[in-house]
Amino acid sequence: LKSKIDKSVFPGLQGGPHNNQIAAVAVALKEASSDTFKDYIRQVKANAHHLSTSLQKKGYVICTGGTDNHMLLWDCRSLKISGLEVEKILERIDISVNKNTIIGDTSAITPGGVRLGTPGMTTRGMAEKDMEMITDFIHEAINIVKNQSFIHPLLYHSFTAKNKKAYSLDAFVNALENEPVAHLLDSLKERVTFFARSFPLPGKDPRTNR
């Protein structure tokens, strides 16, 4: 019985060609072959390239010097701030990014980089000029936090290798709610929200975004 049960599980249930997977691949390939998708993915790549260039013009470091696809990897180490903290700062103003390890990192928890992608923004109808606005939002948020001296001791990269175990992400996140930084971030968040409402999600009412 053991042999029959094992074979019924694999390859019987798990190893064979599944109609649902075949159908999913067929649908994806059909969409990818359409002119509409080709125009869309060209815009995705153009937006990623422009976002990368715009960040570099602000003095930020992009891994590999740029991007040729739909995303980019931002090296935050020159800011003396971790990718985790950049993620939390931008999350505070409703800009979604992801911390990401980069060459030389020893921790995936507090990596030195952040990755940004443009498919979602492109789907909402954004183009190259809008990447410049997003860059300005990101740049302003980083400067708001970096210019607050009371936050400096809370930054991960201000700790020596000896006492990094004492680092508290909660303390850093809580500091973002202290004045005057909270007021400045709230004001910036309102502008981000106003900007985003100009590009409603597919299927949403552009008047209410619902």
Side-chain angles (χ1 to χ4, degrees):
L1 286 177
K2 179 181 182 299
S3 176
K4 291 181 179 180
I5 292 172
D6 287 345
K7 288 182 179 179
S8 70
V9 173
F10 185 89
L13 295 174
Q14 297 178 353
H18 296 173
N19 289 340
N20 60 316
Q21 293 174 331
I22 294 171
V25 171
V27 170
L29 290 175
K30 182 179 180 181
E31 179 178 347
S33 66
S34 68
D35 291 337
T36 300
F37 180 84
K38 291 175 183 177
D39 290 340
Y40 162 75
I41 205 62
R42 288 190 188 101
Q43 188 62 57
V44 167
K45 292 172 66 178
N47 284 349
H49 175 75
H50 205 79
L51 180 60
S52 173
T53 302
S54 296
L55 286 167
Q56 288 174 307
K57 287 180 179 178
K58 296 288 187 183
Y60 297 116
V61 178
I62 304 300
C63 294
T64 71
T67 180
D68 293 316
N69 56 32
H70 65 289
M71 64 189 307
L72 53 131
L73 189 56
W74 173 12
D75 184 344
C76 304
R77 290 176 299 190
S78 63
L79 301 172
K80 302 301 180 184
I81 186 170
S82 73
L84 173 62
E85 289 160 337
V86 171
E87 178 187 75
K88 294 301 179 182
I89 292 169
L90 297 181
E91 187 178 89
R92 178 63 173 73
I93 62 169
D94 285 349
I95 291 180
S96 178
V97 300
N98 294 99
K99 63 181 180 180
N100 203 100
T101 53
I102 55 178
I103 294 175
D105 277 340
T106 58
S107 170
I109 305 300
T110 50
V114 164
R115 71 178 185 269
L116 304 94
T118 54
M121 294 180 284
T122 308
T123 298
R124 294 181 69 162
M126 298 184 192
E128 288 91 335
K129 66 181 188 305
D130 303 305
M131 299 302 105
E132 296 179 12
M133 180 65 74
I134 292 171
T135 299
D136 289 341
F137 289 145
I138 291 173
H139 183 61
E140 185 173 345
I142 296 299
N143 283 333
I144 286 173
V145 175
K146 291 286 287 181
N147 289 336
Q148 306 303 318
S149 59
F150 74 91
I151 290 182
H152 292 175
L154 301 174
L155 296 175
Y156 178 78
H157 282 287
S158 69
F159 284 81
T160 64
K162 186 176 181 180
N163 62 7
K164 281 181 178 179
K165 290 183 179 179
Y167 176 74
S168 171
L169 176 63
D170 288 341
F172 172 76
V173 172
N174 290 337
L176 300 181
E177 304 306 323
N178 295 338
E179 296 300 345
V181 66
H183 174 74
L184 294 172
L185 289 175
D186 283 338
S187 178
L188 178 55
K189 180 179 178 178
E190 289 179 4
R191 287 157 48 206
V192 170
T193 300
F194 180 80
F195 170 76
R197 282 177 177 165
S198 301
F199 304 93
L201 291 167
K204 299 285 186 178
D205 187 331
R207 296 167 298 181
T208 63
N209 205 26
R210 293 183 180 179

